[in-house]
Amino acid sequence: MVVRLSRHRLLTLFCGVLAALTLATPASAHASPTSPAGIGRSEAAAGWLARQLVAGERLEVVFDGVTYPDQGLTLDAVFAFAAASVADDSGARALAWVTRPDIRDAYLGDGATEAYAGATAKLALAVQVRGGDPTDVGGVDLIARLRSLQAPGGRFTDRSAYGDYSNTFSQSFALLALDRTSQGTPPTAAAWLAATRCPDGGYPLLPAQPVCTSDVDATALAVQALRVTGRPTDAAAGLRWLLSVQRADGGFANAAGIPNANSTGLAAQALRDGHRPLAWARARVFLAGLQVGCAGAPADRGAVDFDGGAFDPGTAGRATGQAVLGLTGTGYARLAATGATPGAPVPACP
């Protein structure tokens, strides 16, 4: 059990104008996945993602040659289904799997010696998005547990024998989840996140480093959390930084400098949520160019490739999940599964 949990922690560490919105992409494997009688891009992407669920309930990842069920990636799918308003049945089964006691505790920790802030916050938010009660998830009060992980200075931290891996994602998800509760967000937690801002206006993935380095993915999530907690000035600084690093083709690069669907998907939802429609439209065009269309293999149609190279199913799950939120422009604060339809839509190809 100790070895399994340690590998899980390592895996967690290892692993963001109408004309523009309807712009056609060149004819290729990544061209438009729809026909005139087809479905929208986000629905096609979410439908592909739903068909990737193993046993109809979970997504998996390969690490060091071993396949593991991935609770965090599965929750990304739950968010994507809600954003696209499809695959509601898949979303229900996926959340039921993550909240199964053995699966839940492997992800969150046992709550006593092991408790992980980011995972707890993300699961709480997913339960809320699907209309559930995060104070009673199989007898576990995720909100109380999350609040217990807040340090006096405002930061949410891990309680673990394997170290504290909390970061800007952990803090942002905590604020987004707590904002949906009756007590709301602790002001000290929002202030702590705001204080991590780098001199250029962006936010780092890992706070309190010798050199503050802004990160697209972290900034995209921090901006959404700061907006919902009533800190528009701090959020605006992050949005300005995102605009300054958006590429000419509309995409965003990760820390390695690779323009990709993950970072662009996260940035795109932050831009639309932050009322930057032109920048969102350009990011959406970039994402559309990465989507596998009718020229691609039938099994891949609708998926969003990581970087537009040879299609890689190993990275497409995460890329597609985060791209869906960028394509719809639905921020985490506004996500809800209400009204979502069942079924996994398939692109209508000639």
Side-chain angles (χ1 to χ4, degrees), residues 168 196-219 241 245 254-256:
T168 297
T196 66
R197 192 172 79 221
C198 296
D200 59 11
Y203 289 82
L205 175 62
L206 298 174
Q209 299 299 303
V211 177
C212 191
T213 304
S214 294
D215 177 85
V216 169
D217 300 38
T219 299
W241 181 79
V245 297
N254 58 15

Side-chain angles (χ1 to χ4, degrees), residues 75-103:
L75 292 181
D76 286 338
V78 170
F79 293 139
F81 301 149
S85 292
V86 298
D88 189 57
D89 48 342
S90 296
R93 289 193 299 269
L95 188 62
W97 174 77
V98 178
T99 55
R100 207 175 75 191
D102 57 329
I103 303 299

Side-chain angles (χ1 to χ4, degrees), residues 34-89:
T34 66
S35 70
I39 54 177
R41 291 187 178 280
S42 61
E43 291 92 338
W48 178 85
L49 194 60
R51 291 188 291 278
Q52 309 315 302
L53 293 174
V54 178
E57 65 179 8
R58 67 185 184 275
L59 292 174
E60 297 180 340
V61 65
V62 177
F63 184 63
D64 279 352
V66 180
T67 299
Y68 296 91
D70 191 324
Q71 295 95 323
L73 184 57
T74 302
L75 292 181
D76 286 338
V78 170
F79 293 139
F81 301 149
S85 292
V86 298
D88 189 57
D89 48 342

Side-chain angles (χ1 to χ4, degrees), residues 37-312:
I39 54 177
R41 291 187 178 280
S42 61
E43 291 92 338
W48 178 85
L49 194 60
R51 291 188 291 278
Q52 309 315 302
L53 293 174
V54 178
E57 65 179 8
R58 67 185 184 275
L59 292 174
E60 297 180 340
V61 65
V62 177
F63 184 63
D64 279 352
V66 180
T67 299
Y68 296 91
D70 191 324
Q71 295 95 323
L73 184 57
T74 302
L75 292 181
D76 286 338
V78 170
F79 293 139
F81 301 149
S85 292
V86 298
D88 189 57
D89 48 342
S90 296
R93 289 193 299 269
L95 188 62
W97 174 77
V98 178
T99 55
R100 207 175 75 191
D102 57 329
I103 303 299
R104 178 201 63 205
D105 292 350
Y107 181 50
L108 306 181
D110 59 16
T113 58
E114 296 288 323
Y116 315 135
T120 303
K122 190 172 183 178
L123 180 56
L125 181 61
V127 170
Q128 293 166 324
V129 165
R130 289 206 50 82
D133 180 6
T135 67
D136 185 6
V137 178
V140 174
D141 186 339
L142 297 181
I143 300 302
R145 182 180 294 187
L146 181 59
R147 291 186 185 277
S148 75
L149 296 175
Q150 186 183 358
R155 180 176 183 173
F156 290 91
T157 60
D158 295 341
R159 182 164 61 240
S160 173
Y162 303 100
D164 178 13
Y165 293 110
S166 63
N167 53 35
T168 297
F169 269 67
S170 308
Q171 193 77 11
S172 299
F173 272 126
L175 292 173
L176 288 162
L178 293 176
D179 180 71
R180 297 190 184 217
T181 67
S182 58
Q183 287 182 273
T185 55
T188 54
W192 184 89
L193 178 60
T196 66
R197 192 172 79 221
C198 296
D200 59 11
Y203 289 82
L205 175 62
L206 298 174
Q209 299 299 303
V211 177
C212 191
T213 304
S214 294
D215 177 85
V216 169
D217 300 38
T219 299
L221 201 60
V223 160
Q224 296 179 65
L226 291 166
R227 277 179 51 79
V228 80
T229 53
R231 301 189 73 100
T233 301
D234 297 306
L239 285 169
R240 286 192 296 272
W241 181 79
L242 285 174
L243 291 172
S244 75
V245 297
Q246 187 173 24
R247 291 162 43 92
D249 59 7
F252 288 83
N254 58 15
I258 302 171
N260 66 89
N262 300 57
S263 298
T264 304
L266 289 170
Q269 65 173 134
L271 290 169
R272 191 186 186 202
D273 186 68
H275 308 299
R276 303 299 194 277
L278 292 176
W280 169 59
R282 293 173 54 221
R284 193 178 187 276
V285 169
F286 177 84
L287 293 171
L290 299 179
Q291 190 167 29
V292 179
C294 291
D300 301 336
R301 291 172 184 168
V304 179
D305 188 57
F306 175 71
D307 60 3
F311 182 75
D312 181 0

Side-chain angles (χ1 to χ4, degrees), residues 308-320:
F311 182 75
D312 181 0
T315 59
R318 196 176 307 276
T320 301

